Amino acid sequence: MLFRSPNCYGHEERTARKAHKCCECHGTIQPGELYHYHHGVWDGRAANYKVCVDCEALRAECDRDVHYDEERTPFEGLYESVDALWPNELFARFVEIKRRRGATVPERMALRAAASNAADQTPAAQEKTT
């Protein structure tokens, strides 16, 4: 998925007055909770995206070493980014965010996240972190 730079763009950090759905994890943003509201015009069409703070942080981590806007994770594209990136811990974190926010986790995603967590618990993986 290619990120396209918007013709105009705005970003606000808001407090939810009602329940919203995160465009990334499809989980619930609860009333009273902070979320990120992105809005702009892409390819001549206005759009807005509500992103929970967990997904916003994960997106920032995915894009940490990205130098060009065209390579950044597009809105509604976080799953594809964590699916393609290594280490697997990012994928496992995305699945945990979905669970915590009440979104449906497909069985194949749950199995892959479990396998990622098991791989992270091997003695060789633990030695790398020490």
Side-chain angles (χ1 to χ4, degrees), residues 45-65:
R45 291 193 302 207
N48 65 67
Y49 303 93
K50 297 170 185 162
V51 184
C52 70
V53 293
D54 298 322
C55 287
E56 191 76 18
L58 189 57
R59 175 197 311 284
E61 191 167 337
C62 287
D63 291 347
R64 181 182 56 218
D65 297 326

Side-chain angles (χ1 to χ4, degrees), residues 5 8 10-11 16-17 19 37 43 50 52 54 57 59 64 71 130:
S5 296
C8 65
H11 170 250
R17 291 182 288 175
Y37 180 74
D43 295 329
K50 297 170 185 162
C52 70
D54 298 322
R59 175 197 311 284
R64 181 182 56 218
E71 296 174 357
T130 58

Side-chain angles (χ1 to χ4, degrees), residues 18-107:
K18 63 178 188 173
H20 295 286
K21 183 177 175 182
C22 174
C23 73
E24 300 296 352
C25 67
H26 304 286
T28 303
I29 300 167
Q30 296 293 337
E33 184 179 1
L34 285 176
Y35 70 98
H36 294 262
Y37 180 74
H38 301 270
H39 52 94
V41 177
W42 287 266
D43 295 329
R45 291 193 302 207
N48 65 67
Y49 303 93
K50 297 170 185 162
V51 184
C52 70
V53 293
D54 298 322
C55 287
E56 191 76 18
L58 189 57
R59 175 197 311 284
E61 191 167 337
C62 287
D63 291 347
R64 181 182 56 218
D65 297 326
V66 173
H67 301 289
Y68 302 103
D69 282 345
E70 296 79 24
E71 296 174 357
R72 294 198 181 283
T73 301
F75 296 109
E76 299 179 336
L78 186 58
Y79 168 75
E80 287 84 1
S81 287
V82 298
D83 189 38
L85 289 176
W86 295 95
N88 282 334
E89 71 182 49
L90 296 177
F91 186 85
R93 279 181 44 203
F94 182 71
V95 171
E96 179 55 34
I97 290 168
K98 286 180 75 68
R99 283 188 179 126
R100 191 174 47 232
R101 293 195 169 271
T104 302
V105 177
E107 185 177 356

